[in-house]
Amino acid sequence: MTIMNKEVVIIGGGPAGLAAAVELRKKGIQEIVILEREKQLGGILRQCIHDGFGLTRFKQTLSGPEYSQRFIDLVKKLHIEYVTDATVIEITSMKKVIAASKDGLLEYRAKAVVLAMGCRERTRGAISIPGTRPAGIYNAGVAQSYINLHNTMVGKDVVILGSGDIGMIMARRMTLEGAKVKAVFEVQPYPSGLPRNIEQCLNDYGIPLYLSHTITKIKGNARLEGITVSQVDENMNPIIGTEKDYDCDTLILSVGLIPENELSLACGVKLDSRTKGAIVDENYQTSVAGVFAAGNVLQVHDLLDFVSLEAEGLADSVAEYIQQGELTDCPIDIVTDNAISHTIPQKISGKKDFTLSLRVRKPFKNCHIDVMQSDTVIRTVLLKKAIPAQMIQVKLKETDIKTLDNIKVVVR
Amino acid sequence: MNQVYDVIIIGAGVVGSAVAREFARYRLKVGVLEKELDVCCETSGRNSGVLHGGFTYKTGSLKAKCSVEGNAEFDQVAAELDVPFKRTGKVVVGFTEDDMQSLLRFKAVGDANGVPGLEIIDKGRLAELDSSAGGEFAMYSPSSGILNPFIYTVALAENAKQNGVDFYFGNEVLSVQRKNEIYEIATGESFYKARWVVNCAGLNSAKISSMLGIDGYTIGGFKGEYFVLDKKVGKYLNMPVYPAPGSNGGFATHATPTVDGNVLIGPDSTLVADFEDYGVTPAALKGLIVDGAKMFNHVKREHFIRNFSGIRPKLIDKETKQVLDFVVESRSEAPNVINLVGIESPGITSALPLARRTVALFKDQERLIPNEKFNPRRQGILCFAKQSDAIKKELIEQDPNYGEIICRCETVTKAEILQAIHNCLGVTTVTGIKNRTRAMMGRCQGGYCETRIVQLLQQELHKQETDIVYSRSGSEMFTGKVRI
C-alpha cells in the first residue's frame, strides 16, 4: 500500500468538506485531499432539488445542487485533489486515514484531519414505533433519494411522522408527484422544523400538522396498510381513547438527525452526549489533537449556509495548526442550564473572539440568553422568540472573558 | 410438475433445511416447498440465536437429547458449513434463595441430561465471566454458545441445494392428496408429486399434519419481542445472561450477545392466535427495558436500533395445557409421511439431530444408497470488514467490487452483495440480502445502503422497480417510476 502524505485529509465531500477545502487552500494550504464515498461531490445536497439554500451566504435562493456546484467549481478551479467512490473505513489518532476504493486501499498520513461526514437519520428502531414491519416505511431522506435520484416512486397514500424539515419537504415533493399526503404528526407540542417549511410545504398544500401526536400502531404484514395515531400527554405518553386510524400505503419518518461519528469514535474522539457530535474547542479541534470537525457531523444545523460558514471557520484554525504545530489551550468549559440543549464550542481559551451556537430545548417568547462567568452576566442577547428548530448564535469577544472560570449559558 | 420427488419437505426453516441436507447425503430426489420467498422468515429467523446446552428440558425428552447432541457436534458443523459461531458459555443468574433452589434443580436436570461442565458460581466468578451481567450468583453452562440463525439456515439450505435439492419459494401448500401411492401437493403456484412428504412447517405444523392425515395436534403461538442494541454496547456482554426461571419454569427476558457484535434484549412471552402477528407492542417493549436492565446494565434507549418479534410453535396438550416434547413420527395412518410437530426452542440447536431422526424413520422403510458426490462443506460469503488491511488490499486487487462499500455501518462491500445475489440458492428480496450480508443491519438501518441494494437487485436480476420486494409476497416497495 503506497502511503500518501497530506497536510489535510478531509473526510466527506459535502457542503462542510467542500467549504473547508476551499478556505484552506485560500489560506495557503497546498496538500489537501477530499475523500468522498459517493460517485460525485456534493453530499446530501445532490438530492435536495428544492430551493431555499444560500440566502445568508449568497443572498440568493438556490437549489441544493446549485449551491454545492458553486463550491465544486471552486474546488476544481483551485486544483484541490479529491477522490470519489472512496469510503473511509478507518481514522487513527495518529491521523492515518484508510479508504476503500476500486483502485485499492488508499492510505494517507495527514498533519490534520477534518471530519465532515454529515449526519444520518434517526430510524424507526431508534424510537421504537410499535407494530408490524411491512414494506412502505421510509425515512424522509431515503424517500427523497429514491424519488429525486433514482426516479422511483415510493407510494401513493402517505402519512408523515415527525415535523422535521426533510419530512415536510417530502410532503410537498410527494404531493407534487401525485401522491396524497394525509397528515403530518409530531410528538412534541411544537414543530421540529423551520416555520418557513411549515408554510411552504404544508400550509400551501393544505396538509394538516397535528402536534402532540404519535403513532401507536403500524398495520400490514406485507405492504403497509394503515397506522393508528394517538394524542400524547405532557410526558409523551399516548392518551387512551384518542386513537384514530389512517389508511395509507406509505409512512415517511422525519424523526431527527444524528451526526455520523462512527469513524470519529474509533479514532478516540470524545463525543457530546447531547449533540452526538464531537466535543470541540473554539478552534473546532476535537479531543484528538489535529482532528477537527465541522458541519452536521459536529452539530445538526438548521440552515445549510451555517454549515459552510462553520467549515470556513474551522479552516482558519486548521491552517493555524498546520503552520504552528499546535493551538492555544482551551481550559474554559462552557456549561448550560436545562433549557438549552447544547452549545458549540464546549471549550474556549478566553484569548480569542468566538461565536457560540446553541439551541433551546423548548420554545420561548421575549427571552434573553445570558452568558455568565461566576454569576456575572458577560453578554446578553434579547430574543422575541426562540424555538428548538432554529440555531441561535451569540458572538463573544476576547475582552468579554475576564477569568478562566467556566462559562454558563442560560435562557430566561 | 410431472417429476415425482422421492421426498418433498414442507417448510424451509432451520429444520426443513437441515432435513433437506441430511436427505441429500443419499441418492434421492428431494424438493423443499416454502410459502415465504426465502428461508427462515418465521421462527427460525426470529429468535436469540443461542446454541443451547440442554439443561432446561426433561431428562429423556427429545428436546433434551437433541439439544445435547446438537450442541456437542456444533464446532464441526460450523466449520463444515462456514457459519459464524462462538462457544461463549452462558449464565443463568439469580437474586433470591428461591432462584438458587431453581438453579440447583436445573443443574441436576442438566447433569442428568449429560450437559458438560455445569457449575454454580458466586458473584465474584460471575463478575469475572461477565462484568455487566446482573445477578448475585449464577449457574454457568460453558458449552452454550451463540450463532447467526439466518446464516446457519442459509448455509444448510445452500449446502442442500449444492448437493441437488430443489427449493421452491413462494409455494404455500394448500392441499395434499394421495393417489396410487403418490402424494400430490397443490400450492398457490404449482403442483408437486412425491413418494414421501416430510412436515417441517413450524408454526403451521399442526395444519400440515392434518392435511397429511394426522389429526389432533394443537400448536400454541408464543410470541416474544426483542430489542436489538447497537454494537457500541456489544463489547460489554460476553455471553447470554438469563434470569433464573420463575415458577412456570420458563425463562423470561434475557440479554444475548450476537456473533456480529450486537446485543439482543428479549424475549418476553405472550400467547397469540394469529401466527403472523409479528407486531411489537408498546407495553411489551416497556417491559423489556425494565426486565432487560436487570440482566445487562447497558440497556438504554440511545442504543436501540431495532425491535422485532418471533413466535415459538409450542405443542400443547389439549387437556392439561402443558407444553409437550418435540414430535418426530411416522404413523401407519399416514403412510410415507414423516411428521415433525411442535419444533420450537431449542429447534436451532436440535435441527440436525432432528433431521437425522427423520432420515432414520425413512430408512426403517426404504433402503438408502449413499450419494458419493455429497459434499458436506459450504463456503460462506467472506466478511470483508473482519479481514486485515493486507487481505483487504488483496481482495480489492482480485475483485475491485471489494473496494466499493455499499453498507457504511457494517462495511459490507458490493462483492459480498453480488455473491449473495448470485449464490446457487439465490435471493430475491431486500431482507434476504440483509440476512446474508448484514447490509442494512447497522445503526442507520439501510438509510445509506438500501437504495444501493435495490439498484443491485434490479441490475443483477433484471427487475423493474415494481418487481422489487422487501420481504414477503405482496411487500412491493415501489409503485413505479416518478417520470416515464
Side-chain angles (χ1 to χ4, degrees):
Chain A
M1 200 161 13
T2 332
I3 296 166
M4 293 164 278
N5 289 302
K6 295 287 168 192
E7 288 176 288
V8 186
V9 173
I10 299 173
I11 324 288
L18 293 170
V22 167
E23 197 60 22
L24 278 163
R25 176 56 53 85
K26 286 183 184 164
K27 301 265 176 234
I29 305 298
Q30 289 308 308
E31 295 296 317
I32 305 171
V33 65
I34 305 170
L35 301 176
E36 167 57 46
R37 62 191 187 180
E38 298 274 0
K39 290 184 179 8
Q40 290 121 27
L41 294 174
I44 205 70
L45 289 174
R46 293 169 52 244
Q47 68 186 57
C48 301
I49 62 171
H50 54 279
D51 73 347
F53 301 105
L55 277 167
T56 306
R57 185 116 193 351
F58 297 116
K59 310 285 174 240
Q60 247 183 305
T61 174
L62 304 170
S63 71
E66 284 171 331
Y67 184 97
S68 60
Q69 197 60 44
R70 295 197 172 204
F71 288 90
I72 295 169
D73 290 345
L74 281 170
V75 161
K76 290 185 177 166
K77 193 174 143 206
L78 296 169
H79 303 291
I80 297 170
E81 185 189 349
Y82 62 90
V83 187
T84 54
D85 271 326
T87 305
V88 174
I89 55 176
E90 192 187 356
I91 307 169
T92 73
S93 57
M94 300 307 290
K95 286 159 282 178
K96 179 175 93 171
V97 176
I98 296 181
S101 85
K102 289 203 162 190
D103 301 322
L105 279 194
L106 311 175
E107 182 175 337
Y108 296 90
R109 299 287 160 96
K111 286 185 182 159
V113 171
V114 171
L115 306 174
M117 294 90 83
C119 56
R120 65 185 148 86
E121 296 182 278
R122 196 185 297 278
T123 63
R124 174 182 175 183
I127 58 169
S128 308
I129 304 174
T132 53
R133 342 195 117 266
I137 303 173
Y138 295 94
N139 273 344
V142 177
Q144 190 177 49
S145 165
Y146 279 125
I147 294 176
N148 292 348
L149 295 179
H150 296 91
N151 191 26
T152 300
M153 193 63 185
V154 298
K156 299 208 180 302
D157 288 302
V158 187
V159 164
I160 298 182
L161 179 68
S163 55
D165 289 313
I166 323 167
M168 293 195 279
I169 286 159
M170 284 313 292
R172 174 177 65 186
R173 183 82 188 93
M174 294 193 72
T175 305
L176 292 173
E177 293 301 345
K180 168 75 188 155
V181 180
K182 297 187 168 177
V184 177
F185 298 100
E186 168 61 54
V187 72
Q188 303 281 355
Y190 48 82
S192 55
L194 294 170
R196 79 171 191 209
N197 284 329
I198 296 170
E199 278 309 316
Q200 296 171 6
C201 301
L202 303 185
N203 294 349
D204 284 359
Y205 295 88
I207 299 167
L209 167 63
Y210 297 96
L211 301 174
S212 298
H213 275 73
T214 194
I215 294 185
T216 41
K217 193 168 186 181
I218 286 175
K219 292 175 277 189
N221 281 331
R223 176 82 193 195
L224 180 65
E225 289 165 13
I227 57 152
T228 305
V229 293
S230 301
Q231 280 181 45
V232 298
D233 62 21
E234 57 274 20
N235 299 317
M236 307 261 188
N237 292 318
I239 302 169
I240 308 289
T242 61
E243 297 83 4
K244 204 173 163 198
D245 290 340
Y246 286 80
D247 291 337
C248 54
D249 64 10
T250 306
L251 171 63
I252 301 285
L253 302 178
S254 182
V255 292
L257 299 169
I258 302 166
E260 176 74 70
N261 272 297
E262 306 317 317
L263 289 167
S264 334
L265 270 178
C267 116
V269 167
K270 288 203 180 82
L271 300 188
D272 183 326
S273 62
R274 300 165 303 173
T275 56
K276 315 283 180 212
I279 294 171
V280 291
D281 60 24
E282 66 199 14
N283 304 306
Y284 299 97
Q285 185 169 233
T286 68
S287 58
V288 178
V291 176
F292 298 80
N296 281 348
V297 77
L298 177 61
Q299 56 173 337
V300 174
H301 289 66
D302 53 350
L303 292 178
L304 172 63
D305 303 58
F306 295 130
V307 168
S308 308
L309 291 166
E310 190 171 88
E312 285 160 351
L314 162 145
D316 291 345
S317 322
V318 175
E320 195 185 326
Y321 175 84
I322 287 171
Q323 278 143 12
Q324 300 178 2
E326 61 176 347
L327 291 164
T328 327
D329 205 27
C330 291
I332 305 174
D333 285 336
I334 299 180
V335 297
T336 64
D337 70 356
N338 270 338
I340 289 170
S341 63
H342 70 266
T343 68
I344 294 287
Q346 292 92 336
K347 289 163 138 357
I348 58 161
S349 65
K351 292 170 185 158
K352 236 182 180 181
D353 299 351
F354 70 100
T355 303
L356 195 63
S357 6
L358 57 95
R359 279 184 197 255
V360 288
R361 233 182 251 284
K362 55 177 189 173
F364 288 91
K365 273 186 182 160
N366 298 318
C367 62
H368 47 112
I369 309 276
D370 285 344
V371 182
M372 300 162 54
Q373 232 181 349
S374 312
D375 300 328
T376 314
V377 175
I378 57 172
R379 186 111 178 82
T380 189
V381 181
L382 292 168
L383 294 169
K384 274 209 176 114
K385 65 167 192 170
I387 55 171
Q390 252 159 344
M391 273 170 50
I392 297 164
Q393 301 204 312
V394 180
K395 287 200 162 76
L396 279 138
K397 293 208 173 305
E398 179 197 340
T399 48
D400 293 334
I401 318 292
K402 308 282 193 275
T403 70
L404 289 181
D405 291 338
N406 284 351
I407 284 181
K408 188 162 189 198
V409 191
V410 298
V411 55
R412 325 186 206 238
Chain B
M1 194 163 289
N2 277 320
Q3 181 181 26
V4 178
Y5 280 93
D6 291 309
V7 183
I8 284 271
I9 297 158
I10 300 173
V14 69
V15 176
S17 301
V19 169
R21 180 188 188 240
E22 288 309 299
F23 272 120
R25 292 178 186 272
Y26 304 95
R27 283 203 221 160
L28 293 169
K29 191 68 198 151
V30 181
V32 182
L33 305 181
E34 168 55 52
K35 73 178 168 69
E36 300 296 328
L37 301 175
D38 198 1
V39 296
C40 65
C41 289
E42 299 191 311
T43 312
S44 304
R46 297 167 166 274
N47 53 69
S48 312
V50 167
L51 186 79
H52 286 273
F55 50 79
T56 323
Y57 317 103
K58 199 175 152 196
T59 308
S61 67
L62 264 184
K63 284 181 180 175
K65 284 185 201 159
C66 290
S67 53
V68 172
E69 202 176 303
N71 182 301
E73 69 182 339
F74 210 80
D75 294 273
Q76 190 209 327
V77 171
E80 253 176 18
L81 294 172
D82 190 22
V83 296
F85 162 60
K86 284 182 194 160
R87 208 172 274 284
T88 51
K90 163 164 137 181
V91 285
V92 184
V93 302
F95 298 86
T96 64
E97 184 50 38
D98 281 353
D99 290 347
M100 179 55 104
Q101 290 312 315
S102 138
L103 293 186
L104 287 169
R105 274 197 305 277
F106 270 91
K107 184 175 178 300
V109 172
D111 289 340
N113 290 354
V115 179
L118 295 177
E119 55 176 318
I120 301 289
I121 57 171
D122 63 13
K123 194 166 185 166
R125 176 94 169 101
L126 178 59
E128 270 171 39
L129 286 171
D130 203 317
S131 59
S132 60
E136 295 298 315
F137 48 83
M139 183 183 76
Y140 175 45
S141 162
S143 69
S144 302
I146 54 174
L147 57 94
N148 179 322
F150 301 117
I151 303 278
Y152 180 41
T153 311
V154 165
L156 288 166
E158 278 180 11
N159 188 234
K161 173 89 181 186
Q162 282 166 355
N163 286 298
V165 175
D166 295 328
F167 281 79
Y168 300 98
F169 295 107
N171 272 275
E172 180 175 6
V173 172
L174 302 178
S175 71
V176 183
Q177 286 194 321
R178 192 163 193 249
K179 286 181 198 157
N180 306 323
E181 307 203 329
I182 299 292
Y183 283 99
E184 292 184 10
I185 305 167
T187 70
E189 287 288 305
S190 190
F191 286 92
Y192 299 88
K193 289 180 187 167
R195 296 196 300 113
W196 283 74
V197 180
V198 182
N199 173 14
C200 298
L203 281 163
N204 297 301
S205 56
K207 197 167 111 190
I208 297 291
S209 178
S210 298
M211 281 189 204
L212 294 170
I214 303 173
D215 277 317
Y217 286 121
T218 306
I219 294 292
F222 285 73
K223 179 158 116 176
E225 302 186 22
Y226 288 89
F227 272 119
V228 185
L229 305 190
D230 193 296
K231 282 182 167 179
K232 272 192 195 111
V233 295
K235 58 176 182 267
Y236 299 116
L237 190 66
N238 297 331
M239 60 182 69
V241 180
Y242 282 49
S247 49
N248 65 356
F251 286 102
T253 301
H254 44 261
T256 308
T258 73
V259 280
D260 302 298
N262 297 95
V263 171
L264 301 178
I265 300 296
D268 50 5
S269 187
T270 45
L271 200 56
V272 288
D274 176 1
F275 290 172
E276 295 199 348
D277 175 13
Y278 291 118
V280 292
T281 56
L285 294 180
K286 223 178 237 176
L288 290 185
I289 297 172
V290 175
D291 295 343
K294 290 181 203 153
M295 297 296 108
F296 179 54
N297 57 21
H298 293 272
V299 178
K300 288 190 191 127
R301 275 188 184 275
E302 64 184 277
H303 302 310
F304 297 171
I305 60 173
R306 192 178 176 84
N307 46 60
F308 69 94
S309 67
I311 304 176
R312 284 155 284 188
K314 290 183 189 283
L315 181 59
I316 307 289
D317 186 307
K318 263 191 219 142
E319 257 97 73
T320 63
K321 306 288 173 205
Q322 290 294 305
V323 175
L324 301 174
D325 196 12
F326 292 157
V327 170
V328 184
E329 63 181 1
S330 185
R331 291 205 209 170
S332 55
E333 71 250 43
N336 288 13
V337 163
I338 302 167
N339 203 26
L340 284 78
V341 184
I343 315 296
E344 51 135 351
S345 181
I348 290 178
T349 312
S350 307
L352 280 172
L354 285 169
R356 284 194 295 272
R357 282 162 173 77
T358 303
V359 174
L361 288 174
F362 183 94
K363 204 179 170 187
D364 285 346
Q365 295 184 50
E366 290 203 19
R367 200 163 73 91
L368 282 170
I369 305 164
N371 168 10
E372 295 85 9
K373 283 189 256 164
F374 178 80
N375 177 6
R377 305 196 79 83
R378 166 260 182 194
Q379 192 68 51
I381 300 170
L382 183 79
C383 179
F384 178 81
K386 288 184 183 155
Q387 309 305 316
S388 67
D389 282 354
I391 294 179
K392 281 178 181 159
K393 182 175 168 268
E394 216 171 280
L395 285 168
I396 301 174
E397 262 166 30
Q398 285 163 12
D399 178 359
N401 287 326
Y402 276 109
E404 196 174 324
I405 308 290
I406 298 286
C407 164
R408 178 63 202 91
C409 299
E410 298 288 318
T411 318
V412 181
T413 62
K414 184 176 173 184
E416 291 160 85
I417 311 263
L418 292 179
Q419 285 172 48
I421 295 176
H422 295 299
N423 179 277
C424 67
L425 186 68
V427 58
T428 55
T429 64
V430 172
T431 46
I433 298 283
K434 172 173 130 181
N435 293 343
R436 283 160 178 78
T437 64
R438 289 195 56 74
M440 300 176 62
M441 279 205 185
R443 52 186 68 86
C444 92
Q445 291 283 296
Y448 179 70
C449 60
E450 188 194 273
T451 51
R452 290 161 172 78
I453 289 166
V454 164
Q455 220 174 1
L456 283 173
L457 277 171
Q458 273 186 252
Q459 265 170 29
E460 300 296 315
L461 302 176
H462 312 290
K463 284 173 178 269
Q464 301 290 314
E465 295 86 358
T466 44
D467 300 331
I468 297 292
V469 170
Y470 179 62
S471 56
R472 320 182 62 180
S473 297
S475 67
E476 278 75 14
M477 291 181 70
F478 310 111
T479 52
K481 290 192 189 304
V482 181
R483 308 275 159 112
I484 307 296

